Each structure stands twice: as C-alpha cells, then as structure tokens.
Amino acid sequence: MRVLPAVIIAIGLVLAPAVWFGLSWLLSEEDYQGAGGVDSTARIEIEMLRQQVEDLQARMTDLQKEVASLPAGGAGAGSPFTDDAAGEAAIWNQTGGADLDYAQVVLIADRLNVNRGLRVTGGRYLTEKLGRPREDLNDTCQPMTNPDLKEKLVTEQVGPIRVSMLRPAIESLKVVFENIRQADPDLYARINTAGALCVRRIRGTTNSLSTHSYGLAVDLNIDGKLDNFTDGKTQLGLTIMADFFYDQGWVWGAGFRREDSMHFEISRRQLDQWIADGLL
C-alpha cells in the first residue's frame, strides 16, 4: 500500500529539519563556550550526524519519487521499503568501528562566525608593522629580502609537516600540533600541507601582499587531498583542527568571504602580542 511509505516519508521530512536545527544549535553552543580543542570527539560525532542528516534528506527525496511511481493497488503493487531502505535507516545506529574518514567533506557550521572575534592582519597592517618582505613582487614565490624579517625566518619540521615561517609562528604551530597529537593522534598523523611561506603579490593585484608573504600563514589538508575552494564545505579533520588553532590566536580561512578552509593565519591580536613581547 502507498499509505505506509507516505507516512514514513512525512515523518522523516518533519524530523530531519528538527534534527538539523538541534545539531546547529549544539555546535553553535560548543563554539561559543571557548572549549577549543578539548573535546574533539564531540565535534567528530556532530559532524558525522550532520552528514547523516544530509543523507537522510536525500533519501527522503528519492523515496518520494519511488512512491509517486508506484502503481495503484495493494500487495501486488510492490513496495520500495526493501532491505536497501533498512540499510539506509541503519545509519542512525552506527557506532564507529571503522577508521574515521577525516578527509570526508562536511558543511562548515555558522561559517562566517568561526573566528569568534579574531581579526585578520591584512597586507596593509603587516606592512605597517613589519615592513615589506621584499620590494619587487610578481606572481611567483620569491625569497624574502627584508633583513629584519629574514633573520627570523626558519625552516623546520613542525609536527607532521616541514615549513618555512617566521620563528614565532613556528613556535605557535608546534603548540597547536602537539595539542592535536595528544587529543587525536590519528588525526595528527594525517595532517599534510599545501605550503606556508610564499613571497609574492596576491594574484589579480598589482602590489598587494598576503599573510603567506610574511611566513605567518600555512595551508593544511588531510592526506594530501586539497579542499575545494569557496564551496562552504571542508574536510572533517580541518573542522576539528580549527579549534586548536583558535586557542593559539590563529584565524581560519573558512570564515573569509571567499571561503578558504585550508588556510590558517596569525590574527592581528596575536601579531600585536608578539610585537609587544619583542618577538617580531
């Protein structure tokens, strides 16, 4: 009969938005409590549930189409609710067991507020505070020539990656990665980089500088898989890592107008603190 699938679809369509709202509220509450990376397990569970809600909504749409295509009649008409549908329902009973896919793509919750008050430095502010890393710029990465900055530039193995950055940023990144290693060693082992220092102008501009030009930013990903730019989604592992970076005064590019969730850079607040401490 068509009544049973229709009822199930109606229940699913009612519950899915409610579950989505509950997850969004829960994640928002977590974000603003300042817990940072203390409970990465909770964030993993939330992101997995969020993905499951999306899967359920897609399944509901498919079931609507299946019901609409059923012939009128009784038992002989058949039913879309077979073992396959039971398998779909079983997603709500998952308890783990398999290795967590930190590279899976998830939505970025409350994207424009992920940095919770931390401000970007910006090329103009960096130039005012630190000078230019070099005078002549083009669209390719070049060596840093500013002597005051160059003497603070180091290349080191920092946790799972090797990067060239200014010394205070290197030391801060060590703290971030050590905190991740202690809280989630599996995630730590899968961190990869797409680059840090790159002294060049921002493409499409004549002379504008990015934070990468100062060795104060790093691009990260999971397992070497690059994240899609400006789609409002990111890898699960990056959403977990973002809290650890926030705790150390780093801005996450997921909150930029043009989302760039692989990008982490030092905030203006942290830069000012390093300057006040004589580190830059």
Side-chain angles (χ1 to χ4, degrees):
M1 295 180 66
R2 298 171 65 123
V3 175
L4 178 58
V7 169
I8 295 176
I9 290 174
I11 293 173
L13 292 175
V14 169
L15 290 180
V19 173
W20 178 265
F21 175 81
L23 289 174
S24 298
W25 175 85
L26 178 59
L27 186 53
S28 176
E29 287 293 301
E30 179 194 34
D31 282 344
Y32 284 94
Q33 287 173 358
V38 174
D39 192 358
S40 62
T41 301
R43 178 174 286 277
I44 291 171
E45 292 173 351
I46 289 169
E47 295 295 350
M48 291 183 68
L49 286 173
R50 188 195 312 284
Q51 196 66 42
Q52 290 166 7
V53 168
E54 290 183 0
D55 293 342
L56 178 61
Q57 289 174 322
R59 180 58 179 161
M60 288 300 120
T61 300
D62 292 341
L63 289 177
Q64 282 181 305
K65 294 177 181 178
E66 291 179 29
V67 170
S69 66
L70 285 176
S79 170
F81 291 91
T82 60
D83 289 343
D84 181 59
E88 291 289 336
I91 63 175
W92 297 101
N93 296 319
Q94 290 177 351
T95 58
D99 291 337
L100 186 64
D101 183 8
Y102 291 104
Q104 70 175 299
V105 176
V106 297
L107 284 172
I108 304 170
D110 198 18
R111 186 178 69 78
L112 296 180
N113 293 314
V114 293
N115 291 309
R116 292 164 277 173
L118 290 181
R119 298 174 61 191
V120 297
T121 52
R124 185 173 302 177
Y125 191 77
L126 286 166
T127 300
E128 175 188 333
K129 295 293 184 178
L130 302 176
R132 296 177 68 81
R134 65 177 294 128
E135 288 304 319
D136 59 308
L137 299 170
N138 56 38
D139 290 338
T140 61
C141 298
Q142 301 181 85
M144 182 180 285
T145 58
N146 180 319
D148 292 334
L149 294 176
K150 189 175 180 180
E151 70 175 6
K152 299 178 178 66
L153 183 65
V154 293
T155 300
E156 288 186 8
Q157 183 73 27
V158 184
I161 64 174
R162 185 172 179 81
V163 290
S164 295
M165 304 180 76
L166 295 187
R167 171 61 68 185
I170 287 277
E171 296 303 323
S172 179
L173 194 59
K174 288 178 180 178
V175 174
V176 172
F177 283 156
E178 178 58 20
N179 289 340
I180 294 173
R181 187 192 66 78
Q182 292 183 18
D184 196 334
D186 293 333
L187 170 59
Y188 172 85
R190 295 175 64 177
I191 297 173
N192 209 316
T193 182
L197 176 71
C198 182
V199 184
R200 65 169 175 81
R201 64 192 175 199
I202 297 174
R203 291 191 176 93
T205 71
T206 58
N207 214 25
S208 297
L209 290 160
S210 76
T211 317
H212 281 289
S213 294
Y214 286 85
L216 295 173
V218 62
D219 289 340
L220 300 173
N221 60 69
I222 306 300
D223 297 340
K225 300 177 181 178
L226 301 185
D227 180 67
N228 290 330
F229 184 57
T230 71
D231 65 355
K233 299 179 180 180
T234 193
Q235 295 166 325
L236 172 61
L238 293 179
T239 71
I240 300 168
M241 290 161 55
D243 281 345
F244 294 91
F245 276 95
Y246 176 84
D247 286 346
Q248 297 301 315
W250 292 67
V251 170
W252 187 23
F256 293 174
R257 181 176 58 85
R258 299 179 71 236
E259 173 260 313
D260 184 8
S261 61
M262 291 197 300
H263 178 87
F264 294 88
E265 69 175 60
I266 287 303
S267 66
R268 182 175 297 197
R269 184 188 73 189
Q270 191 60 55
L271 176 70
D272 290 344
Q273 185 62 57
W274 288 343
I275 293 174
D277 293 341
L279 299 176
L280 285 175

